[in-house]
Amino acid sequence: MAEIRTDVVIIGAGTAGLSAAIYTQRAGKQAIVLEGESYGGQIINTLDVENYPGIKHISGFDFATGLYEQAQDLGAKIEMESALQIIDNGKEKIVKTKENDYIAGAVILATGVKRRELGIENEKELTGKGVSYCATCDGAFYRKKDVAVNGGGNTALEDAEFLTRFCNKVYLIHRRDQFRADVAEVKKITDKPNIELVLNSTIDELQTGEDGKLNGVETVDKVTGEKRVLPVSGLFVAIGQVPSNQAFGDVVALDDAGYIKAGEDTKTSAPGIFAAGDCRTKQVRQLATAASDGAVAALAACAYIEE
Ligand SMILES: Cc1cc2nc3c(=O)[nH]c(=O)nc-3n(C[C@H](O)[C@H](O)[C@H](O)COP(=O)(O)OP(=O)(O)OC[C@H]3O[C@@H](n4cnc5c(N)ncnc54)[C@H](O)[C@@H]3O)c2cc1C
C-alpha cells in the first residue's frame, strides 16, 4: 500500500469525472481519477448520442474515448482502482482503495448511477444467463430469439427499439399504461411489427430451464390479476437507476434515495468535497449536465485548495 499525494482526487471516470479532470489540469493542478470498472461510465455502451450540444451524432464509446484521451493528454492520471472510503482530515483528505492511499487537498465525487435491479428471486443467479441490464452490451446474444424488456422510460424504449432490429420478438413490459419516455422514443417503437406491449404488468417470477438459463418470465396484470408466461430467453431490465454512494455516507450528507446532497455549485456538506454529475441531487441527469458539473466542481476544488 503506497501513499500517493496529489491536488485533487476525482472518484469516477464517467463524463462528470473526466470533465472535472480536464478542468483541473487546465487550472494548473494535478488530478488523479479513480475508476472502479471501465472509463466512460454509463454512456460507453450507447450507440447513438444525438443531444450533446455541438455534436450532431456520436457513439457513446467515441464520446467517452474523446474525453478520456483529452484528460490524459492534459496530464490527468487515471487509475483503475475503486475508491472504498474517504477520510476527511480537513485540509487533507485521504481516499482509500484496495491498493493505495491517495492524499489530496480536495475530492470530487463523480460516481454516477447504476441500473436498478428487479429484486426478485433468481435474478442474481440468472444474471448473465438471460437476465441483463444492458441491451447494447448483450443484445447480440439473442439474435433471432424472443426477449423482453422491462421498463417505461427512455432507456427501456431505446433498448426495445434496438432489440427489434435483430430479435425475433420483443415484449415490452411496463407497470403502467403510459410511458414515461420522451414522445420521440415512443414514436420509434409504435409501428414496429415485432414488438408487443405488455402494459399494466409487473414481473413476479423468472423461470429457469434445465440448462440453468432463463426460459420464461411470468407477468401479472395489475388490473385483472391475470398471470401470463412470456417464453423468452432474454430479459433486459431498465427500471431506473440507483446511486452508489453508501461508502461515502459518513463524510457527505446523502438524501433519502442515496444521492449526494449538493446544489449547482457542487458543494457537499463537507468543505473541500464536491459532487458532480448523476450522483448528486438534481433534476436533469444528462451528459451536458454531467460535463457542466465536472467543470464547476473542478474550479471550485482548485479554489478551495488555494484558500
Ligand atoms: C442507456 C443510456 C443511454 C443514455 N443516453 C444519453 C444520451 O443520449 N444523451 C445524454 O445526454 N445522456 C444520456 N444518458 C445519460 C448519461 O449517460 C449520464 O447522465 C452520464 O453518463 C452521467 O455521467 P456521470 O459521470 O455523472 O456518471 P456515470 O456515467 O455513471 O459515471 C460514473 C463512473 O464512476 C465509476 N464509479 C462509481 N463508484 C466508484 C468508486 N467507488 N470508485 C471508482 N469509480 C467509481 C463508475 O464505474 C462509472 O464509470 C444515457 C444513459 C444510459 C444508461
Side-chain angles (χ1 to χ4, degrees):
M1 169 105 39
E3 281 192 353
I4 299 161
R5 287 186 182 268
T6 189
D7 296 319
V8 182
V9 170
I10 299 165
I11 303 176
T15 302
L18 292 172
S19 301
I22 291 167
Y23 273 79
T24 302
Q25 293 298 132
R26 297 260 306 166
K29 302 282 183 221
Q30 180 62 52
I32 294 184
V33 186
L34 303 175
E35 171 53 54
E37 291 179 14
S38 58
Y39 78 81
Q42 293 166 66
I43 205 63
I44 199 93
N45 296 306
T46 304
L47 295 181
D48 307 302
V49 176
E50 293 178 342
N51 60 358
Y52 194 82
I55 303 175
K56 271 195 193 166
H57 177 266
I58 190 166
S59 73
F61 180 78
D62 286 347
F63 179 83
T65 303
L67 277 176
Y68 178 82
E69 288 176 356
Q70 193 177 356
Q72 260 198 338
D73 288 354
L74 286 164
K77 293 184 183 144
I78 301 164
E79 306 293 350
M80 301 310 288
E81 295 173 35
S82 249
L84 304 176
Q85 190 192 1
I86 300 174
I87 297 170
D88 186 359
N89 294 332
K91 280 288 179 186
E92 188 178 87
K93 327 252 178 230
I94 304 166
V95 180
K96 286 187 164 289
T97 71
K98 217 167 121 193
E99 296 83 3
N100 295 304
D101 280 358
Y102 291 91
I103 304 168
V107 173
I108 298 173
L109 284 155
T111 52
V113 292
K114 285 191 182 344
R115 282 210 188 176
R116 188 188 298 279
E117 295 179 0
L118 286 167
I120 61 175
E121 219 184 318
N122 289 347
E123 184 178 4
K124 289 224 179 329
E125 292 81 345
L126 287 169
T127 299
K129 295 176 185 164
V131 174
S132 166
Y133 303 87
C134 179
T136 35
C137 321
D138 300 333
F141 299 126
Y142 301 90
R143 193 169 292 279
K144 299 207 168 91
K145 294 189 174 159
D146 291 356
V147 297
V149 174
N150 187 203
N154 281 343
T155 303
L157 269 69
E158 275 174 34
D159 286 356
E161 193 280 328
F162 171 68
L163 292 163
T164 58
R165 299 183 204 174
F166 50 86
C167 290
N168 182 51
K169 177 162 187 169
V170 179
Y171 297 93
L172 179 55
I173 306 163
H174 180 41
R175 65 191 164 129
R176 301 191 206 286
D177 60 357
Q178 303 269 330
F179 292 111
R180 229 181 29 254
D182 298 343
V183 177
E185 295 302 333
V186 178
K187 263 192 188 154
K188 283 188 199 165
I189 60 147
T190 308
D191 295 326
K192 294 275 179 185
N194 59 341
I195 198 161
E196 181 180 332
L197 305 184
V198 184
L199 301 178
N200 283 320
S201 298
T202 52
I203 297 174
D204 71 342
E205 195 185 312
L206 302 175
Q207 300 187 341
T208 313
E210 281 176 7
D211 57 0
K213 294 183 180 167
L214 180 82
N215 75 349
V217 167
E218 186 179 86
T219 59
V220 55
D221 186 311
K222 289 187 350 179
V223 180
T224 62
E226 193 188 325
K227 292 195 177 196
R228 180 179 173 196
V229 176
L230 310 176
V232 294
S233 52
L235 170 67
F236 295 88
V237 181
I239 52 169
Q241 295 150 329
V242 281
S244 45
N245 299 314
Q246 301 88 331
F248 314 113
D250 57 340
V251 283
V252 291
L254 307 180
D255 73 3
D256 291 345
Y259 290 99
I260 301 162
K261 284 189 182 173
E264 294 300 311
D265 60 7
T266 72
K267 289 183 179 167
T268 69
S269 57
I273 303 181
F274 303 86
D278 283 12
C279 66
R280 78 167 175 90
T281 47
K282 54 158 59 175
Q283 287 293 321
V284 182
R285 294 193 168 87
Q286 287 282 282
L287 296 171
T289 57
S292 155
D293 275 8
V296 173
L299 297 179
C302 293
Y304 176 83
I305 295 169
E306 293 292 332
E307 266 169 26

